[in-house]
Short mmCIF file of all heavy atoms in Angstrom, two decimals:
data_model
loop_
_atom_site.label_atom_id
_atom_site.label_comp_id
_atom_site.label_asym_id
_atom_site.label_seq_id
_atom_site.Cartn_x
_atom_site.Cartn_y
_atom_site.Cartn_z
N PRO A 8 -37.37 -1.01 1.05
CA PRO A 8 -38.36 0.05 0.85
C PRO A 8 -39.22 0.33 2.07
O PRO A 8 -39.65 1.46 2.29
CB PRO A 8 -39.20 -0.48 -0.32
CG PRO A 8 -38.27 -1.36 -1.08
CD PRO A 8 -37.39 -2.01 -0.04
N ARG A 9 -39.46 -0.69 2.89
CA ARG A 9 -40.27 -0.48 4.10
C ARG A 9 -39.42 -0.27 5.35
O ARG A 9 -39.97 -0.09 6.43
CB ARG A 9 -41.21 -1.68 4.31
CG ARG A 9 -42.26 -1.84 3.22
CD ARG A 9 -43.30 -2.86 3.61
NE ARG A 9 -42.73 -4.18 3.80
CZ ARG A 9 -42.50 -5.04 2.81
NH1 ARG A 9 -42.76 -4.70 1.55
NH2 ARG A 9 -41.99 -6.23 3.04
N ARG A 10 -38.11 -0.33 5.22
CA ARG A 10 -37.23 -0.15 6.37
C ARG A 10 -36.01 0.66 5.96
O ARG A 10 -34.89 0.19 6.01
CB ARG A 10 -36.77 -1.51 6.92
CG ARG A 10 -37.83 -2.32 7.61
CD ARG A 10 -38.23 -1.76 8.98
NE ARG A 10 -39.01 -2.74 9.70
CZ ARG A 10 -40.29 -2.97 9.50
NH1 ARG A 10 -40.94 -2.26 8.59
NH2 ARG A 10 -40.94 -3.89 10.19
N SER A 11 -36.25 1.89 5.54
CA SER A 11 -35.16 2.78 5.16
C SER A 11 -35.25 4.04 5.99
O SER A 11 -36.12 4.89 5.77
CB SER A 11 -35.23 3.13 3.67
OG SER A 11 -34.28 4.14 3.35
N LEU A 12 -34.36 4.17 6.96
CA LEU A 12 -34.34 5.38 7.77
C LEU A 12 -34.01 6.59 6.90
O LEU A 12 -34.59 7.67 7.07
CB LEU A 12 -33.31 5.24 8.89
CG LEU A 12 -33.07 6.48 9.75
CD1 LEU A 12 -34.36 6.97 10.38
CD2 LEU A 12 -32.01 6.20 10.82
N MET A 13 -33.09 6.44 5.94
CA MET A 13 -32.71 7.56 5.10
C MET A 13 -33.91 8.10 4.32
O MET A 13 -34.14 9.32 4.25
CB MET A 13 -31.60 7.15 4.13
CG MET A 13 -30.33 6.66 4.81
SD MET A 13 -29.62 7.85 5.96
CE MET A 13 -29.22 9.19 4.85
N ARG A 14 -34.69 7.21 3.73
CA ARG A 14 -35.83 7.65 2.93
C ARG A 14 -36.97 8.17 3.81
O ARG A 14 -37.74 9.05 3.39
CB ARG A 14 -36.29 6.51 2.02
CG ARG A 14 -35.23 6.16 0.97
CD ARG A 14 -35.54 4.90 0.17
NE ARG A 14 -34.35 4.44 -0.49
CZ ARG A 14 -33.97 4.79 -1.73
NH1 ARG A 14 -34.73 5.61 -2.43
NH2 ARG A 14 -32.85 4.31 -2.25
N ALA A 15 -37.05 7.66 5.04
CA ALA A 15 -38.05 8.19 5.97
C ALA A 15 -37.71 9.63 6.35
O ALA A 15 -38.60 10.49 6.46
CB ALA A 15 -38.12 7.32 7.22
N LEU A 16 -36.43 9.93 6.57
CA LEU A 16 -36.02 11.30 6.87
C LEU A 16 -36.35 12.22 5.69
O LEU A 16 -36.87 13.32 5.87
CB LEU A 16 -34.52 11.35 7.16
CG LEU A 16 -34.02 10.58 8.40
CD1 LEU A 16 -32.50 10.66 8.48
CD2 LEU A 16 -34.64 11.12 9.68
N ALA A 17 -36.02 11.75 4.47
CA ALA A 17 -36.27 12.57 3.28
C ALA A 17 -37.76 12.81 3.07
O ALA A 17 -38.17 13.88 2.61
CB ALA A 17 -35.65 11.90 2.06
N ALA A 18 -38.58 11.81 3.40
CA ALA A 18 -40.03 11.94 3.21
C ALA A 18 -40.67 12.88 4.21
O ALA A 18 -41.85 13.24 4.05
CB ALA A 18 -40.68 10.56 3.31
N ARG A 19 -39.91 13.29 5.23
CA ARG A 19 -40.43 14.23 6.22
C ARG A 19 -39.80 15.61 6.09
O ARG A 19 -39.82 16.41 7.03
CB ARG A 19 -40.21 13.67 7.62
CG ARG A 19 -41.02 12.43 7.94
CD ARG A 19 -42.51 12.71 8.01
NE ARG A 19 -42.81 13.66 9.08
CZ ARG A 19 -42.98 13.32 10.36
NH1 ARG A 19 -42.91 12.04 10.71
NH2 ARG A 19 -43.25 14.23 11.26
N GLY A 20 -39.23 15.91 4.93
CA GLY A 20 -38.77 17.26 4.67
C GLY A 20 -37.34 17.55 5.05
O GLY A 20 -36.91 18.71 5.03
N LEU A 21 -36.57 16.52 5.38
CA LEU A 21 -35.16 16.70 5.70
C LEU A 21 -34.31 16.33 4.48
O LEU A 21 -34.79 15.70 3.54
CB LEU A 21 -34.77 15.85 6.90
CG LEU A 21 -35.47 16.20 8.21
CD1 LEU A 21 -35.37 15.06 9.21
CD2 LEU A 21 -34.91 17.50 8.81
N ARG A 22 -33.04 16.73 4.52
CA ARG A 22 -32.11 16.36 3.43
C ARG A 22 -31.01 15.49 4.02
O ARG A 22 -29.94 15.97 4.39
CB ARG A 22 -31.52 17.61 2.77
CG ARG A 22 -30.69 17.28 1.52
CD ARG A 22 -30.11 18.52 0.88
NE ARG A 22 -29.34 18.20 -0.31
CZ ARG A 22 -28.67 19.10 -1.04
NH1 ARG A 22 -28.68 20.38 -0.67
NH2 ARG A 22 -27.99 18.71 -2.09
N PRO A 23 -31.21 14.19 4.07
CA PRO A 23 -30.21 13.30 4.65
C PRO A 23 -29.05 13.07 3.68
O PRO A 23 -29.25 12.77 2.50
CB PRO A 23 -30.97 12.00 4.91
CG PRO A 23 -32.39 12.28 4.54
CD PRO A 23 -32.40 13.46 3.64
N LEU A 24 -27.84 13.18 4.20
CA LEU A 24 -26.62 12.94 3.43
C LEU A 24 -25.86 11.82 4.12
O LEU A 24 -25.35 12.00 5.23
CB LEU A 24 -25.78 14.21 3.36
CG LEU A 24 -26.46 15.41 2.67
CD1 LEU A 24 -25.82 16.72 3.08
CD2 LEU A 24 -26.43 15.25 1.16
N LEU A 25 -25.81 10.66 3.48
CA LEU A 25 -25.22 9.48 4.10
C LEU A 25 -23.74 9.38 3.74
O LEU A 25 -23.39 9.33 2.56
CB LEU A 25 -25.96 8.22 3.63
CG LEU A 25 -25.39 6.88 4.12
CD1 LEU A 25 -25.43 6.78 5.64
CD2 LEU A 25 -26.18 5.72 3.49
N LEU A 26 -22.89 9.34 4.76
CA LEU A 26 -21.46 9.13 4.56
C LEU A 26 -21.21 7.63 4.43
O LEU A 26 -21.25 6.89 5.41
CB LEU A 26 -20.66 9.71 5.73
CG LEU A 26 -19.15 9.45 5.70
CD1 LEU A 26 -18.51 9.95 4.41
CD2 LEU A 26 -18.48 10.08 6.91
N ASP A 27 -20.95 7.18 3.21
CA ASP A 27 -20.63 5.77 2.94
C ASP A 27 -19.11 5.66 2.92
O ASP A 27 -18.46 6.17 2.00
CB ASP A 27 -21.23 5.37 1.60
CG ASP A 27 -20.99 3.90 1.27
OD1 ASP A 27 -20.25 3.23 2.02
OD2 ASP A 27 -21.51 3.43 0.25
N TRP A 28 -18.53 5.00 3.94
CA TRP A 28 -17.08 4.91 4.05
C TRP A 28 -16.47 4.08 2.90
O TRP A 28 -15.34 4.33 2.50
CB TRP A 28 -16.68 4.25 5.37
CG TRP A 28 -17.14 4.93 6.61
CD1 TRP A 28 -18.18 4.54 7.40
CD2 TRP A 28 -16.59 6.10 7.22
NE1 TRP A 28 -18.30 5.39 8.48
CE2 TRP A 28 -17.34 6.36 8.39
CE3 TRP A 28 -15.53 6.95 6.90
CZ2 TRP A 28 -17.06 7.43 9.24
CZ3 TRP A 28 -15.25 8.02 7.74
CH2 TRP A 28 -16.02 8.26 8.89
N GLY A 29 -17.20 3.08 2.42
CA GLY A 29 -16.69 2.19 1.39
C GLY A 29 -15.65 1.23 1.92
O GLY A 29 -15.22 1.29 3.08
N ASP A 30 -15.23 0.29 1.07
CA ASP A 30 -14.15 -0.62 1.43
C ASP A 30 -12.83 0.14 1.44
O ASP A 30 -12.61 1.04 0.62
CB ASP A 30 -14.06 -1.76 0.41
CG ASP A 30 -15.22 -2.72 0.52
OD1 ASP A 30 -15.26 -3.48 1.49
OD2 ASP A 30 -16.09 -2.70 -0.38
N PRO A 31 -11.91 -0.20 2.35
CA PRO A 31 -10.63 0.50 2.39
C PRO A 31 -9.87 0.33 1.07
O PRO A 31 -9.66 -0.78 0.60
CB PRO A 31 -9.88 -0.17 3.54
CG PRO A 31 -10.93 -0.83 4.37
CD PRO A 31 -12.01 -1.22 3.41
N GLY A 32 -9.47 1.45 0.46
CA GLY A 32 -8.62 1.43 -0.72
C GLY A 32 -7.16 1.52 -0.31
O GLY A 32 -6.80 1.38 0.86
N ALA A 33 -6.32 1.80 -1.28
CA ALA A 33 -4.88 1.86 -1.00
C ALA A 33 -4.56 2.90 0.06
O ALA A 33 -3.71 2.69 0.93
CB ALA A 33 -4.12 2.15 -2.30
N ALA A 34 -5.23 4.06 0.01
CA ALA A 34 -4.97 5.11 1.00
C ALA A 34 -5.57 4.74 2.35
O ALA A 34 -4.90 4.84 3.39
CB ALA A 34 -5.55 6.43 0.51
N GLU A 35 -6.83 4.28 2.35
CA GLU A 35 -7.51 4.01 3.62
C GLU A 35 -6.90 2.85 4.40
O GLU A 35 -7.07 2.78 5.62
CB GLU A 35 -9.00 3.74 3.37
CG GLU A 35 -9.80 4.96 2.96
CD GLU A 35 -9.85 5.16 1.46
OE1 GLU A 35 -9.16 4.39 0.74
OE2 GLU A 35 -10.54 6.08 0.99
N ARG A 36 -6.22 1.94 3.73
CA ARG A 36 -5.61 0.83 4.46
C ARG A 36 -4.55 1.28 5.46
O ARG A 36 -4.19 0.52 6.36
CB ARG A 36 -5.00 -0.16 3.47
CG ARG A 36 -6.05 -0.99 2.73
CD ARG A 36 -5.42 -1.82 1.64
NE ARG A 36 -6.45 -2.49 0.84
CZ ARG A 36 -6.26 -2.99 -0.36
NH1 ARG A 36 -5.06 -2.91 -0.92
NH2 ARG A 36 -7.24 -3.58 -1.01
N ARG A 37 -4.09 2.51 5.32
CA ARG A 37 -3.11 3.06 6.28
C ARG A 37 -3.77 3.93 7.33
O ARG A 37 -3.09 4.49 8.18
CB ARG A 37 -2.06 3.88 5.53
CG ARG A 37 -1.28 3.10 4.48
CD ARG A 37 -0.12 3.92 3.95
NE ARG A 37 -0.58 5.13 3.25
CZ ARG A 37 -0.86 5.19 1.94
NH1 ARG A 37 -0.75 4.10 1.20
NH2 ARG A 37 -1.25 6.32 1.39
N PHE A 38 -5.10 4.03 7.29
CA PHE A 38 -5.81 4.98 8.16
C PHE A 38 -6.00 4.42 9.57
O PHE A 38 -6.44 3.29 9.75
CB PHE A 38 -7.19 5.29 7.59
CG PHE A 38 -7.20 6.36 6.54
CD1 PHE A 38 -6.04 6.75 5.90
CD2 PHE A 38 -8.38 6.98 6.18
CE1 PHE A 38 -6.05 7.73 4.92
CE2 PHE A 38 -8.42 7.96 5.21
CZ PHE A 38 -7.25 8.34 4.58
N ASP A 39 -5.68 5.24 10.55
CA ASP A 39 -6.16 5.00 11.91
C ASP A 39 -7.43 5.82 12.08
O ASP A 39 -7.93 6.44 11.13
CB ASP A 39 -5.10 5.33 12.95
CG ASP A 39 -4.59 6.77 12.83
OD1 ASP A 39 -5.21 7.57 12.09
OD2 ASP A 39 -3.59 7.09 13.49
N LEU A 40 -8.01 5.82 13.29
CA LEU A 40 -9.25 6.56 13.49
C LEU A 40 -9.05 8.05 13.29
O LEU A 40 -9.95 8.76 12.79
CB LEU A 40 -9.82 6.27 14.88
CG LEU A 40 -10.31 4.84 15.12
CD1 LEU A 40 -10.92 4.72 16.51
CD2 LEU A 40 -11.34 4.42 14.06
N ASP A 41 -7.90 8.55 13.67
CA ASP A 41 -7.62 9.98 13.48
C ASP A 41 -7.66 10.34 12.00
O ASP A 41 -8.23 11.36 11.60
CB ASP A 41 -6.25 10.31 14.08
CG ASP A 41 -5.92 11.78 13.96
OD1 ASP A 41 -6.48 12.58 14.73
OD2 ASP A 41 -5.10 12.15 13.08
N ALA A 42 -7.06 9.50 11.16
CA ALA A 42 -7.06 9.77 9.73
C ALA A 42 -8.46 9.70 9.15
O ALA A 42 -8.84 10.51 8.28
CB ALA A 42 -6.13 8.79 9.01
N TYR A 43 -9.27 8.73 9.60
CA TYR A 43 -10.64 8.66 9.11
C TYR A 43 -11.41 9.93 9.47
O TYR A 43 -12.23 10.41 8.68
CB TYR A 43 -11.35 7.44 9.69
CG TYR A 43 -11.26 6.21 8.82
CD1 TYR A 43 -10.52 5.10 9.22
CD2 TYR A 43 -11.90 6.15 7.59
CE1 TYR A 43 -10.44 3.96 8.42
CE2 TYR A 43 -11.82 5.03 6.78
CZ TYR A 43 -11.09 3.94 7.20
OH TYR A 43 -11.01 2.83 6.40
N TYR A 44 -11.13 10.47 10.63
CA TYR A 44 -11.82 11.69 11.05
C TYR A 44 -11.32 12.90 10.28
O TYR A 44 -12.11 13.65 9.68
CB TYR A 44 -11.60 11.89 12.55
CG TYR A 44 -12.20 13.18 13.10
CD1 TYR A 44 -13.57 13.29 13.31
CD2 TYR A 44 -11.39 14.27 13.40
CE1 TYR A 44 -14.12 14.46 13.81
CE2 TYR A 44 -11.93 15.44 13.90
CZ TYR A 44 -13.29 15.54 14.10
OH TYR A 44 -13.84 16.70 14.59
N VAL A 45 -10.01 13.09 10.26
CA VAL A 45 -9.44 14.29 9.65
C VAL A 45 -9.57 14.28 8.13
O VAL A 45 -9.89 15.30 7.51
CB VAL A 45 -7.95 14.43 10.06
CG1 VAL A 45 -7.28 15.56 9.29
CG2 VAL A 45 -7.83 14.67 11.56
N ALA A 46 -9.35 13.11 7.52
CA ALA A 46 -9.28 13.03 6.06
C ALA A 46 -10.59 12.62 5.40
O ALA A 46 -10.70 12.68 4.17
CB ALA A 46 -8.18 12.06 5.64
N ARG A 47 -11.59 12.19 6.18
CA ARG A 47 -12.85 11.76 5.59
C ARG A 47 -14.06 12.41 6.28
O ARG A 47 -14.87 13.06 5.64
CB ARG A 47 -12.96 10.23 5.63
CG ARG A 47 -11.92 9.51 4.79
CD ARG A 47 -12.11 9.77 3.31
NE ARG A 47 -11.14 9.04 2.50
CZ ARG A 47 -9.97 9.53 2.10
NH1 ARG A 47 -9.63 10.77 2.44
NH2 ARG A 47 -9.14 8.80 1.35
N ALA A 48 -14.22 12.20 7.59
CA ALA A 48 -15.43 12.70 8.27
C ALA A 48 -15.50 14.22 8.27
O ALA A 48 -16.56 14.81 7.99
CB ALA A 48 -15.49 12.16 9.70
#
């Protein structure tokens, strides 16, 4: 609560959207960086 960059951004009038990659699932286990960019980012 005292060290949250996301909530600090929101408290100053911005709308922060955090991309949480998560643990690799069956699809992501085959991902190289290109796939992470094209298929996720």
Side-chain angles (χ1 to χ4, degrees):
R9 295 191 298 276
R10 290 287 193 280
S11 172
L12 174 57
M13 300 304 297
R14 294 171 196 269
L16 296 176
R19 293 293 298 276
L21 296 162
R22 188 180 181 183
L24 299 159
L25 176 61
L26 175 56
D27 182 354
W28 301 103
D30 289 288
E35 289 91 355
R36 287 172 186 162
R37 301 189 297 270
F38 277 17
D39 56 11
L40 293 183
D41 182 75
Y43 268 112
Y44 176 76
V45 172
R47 295 294 182 267

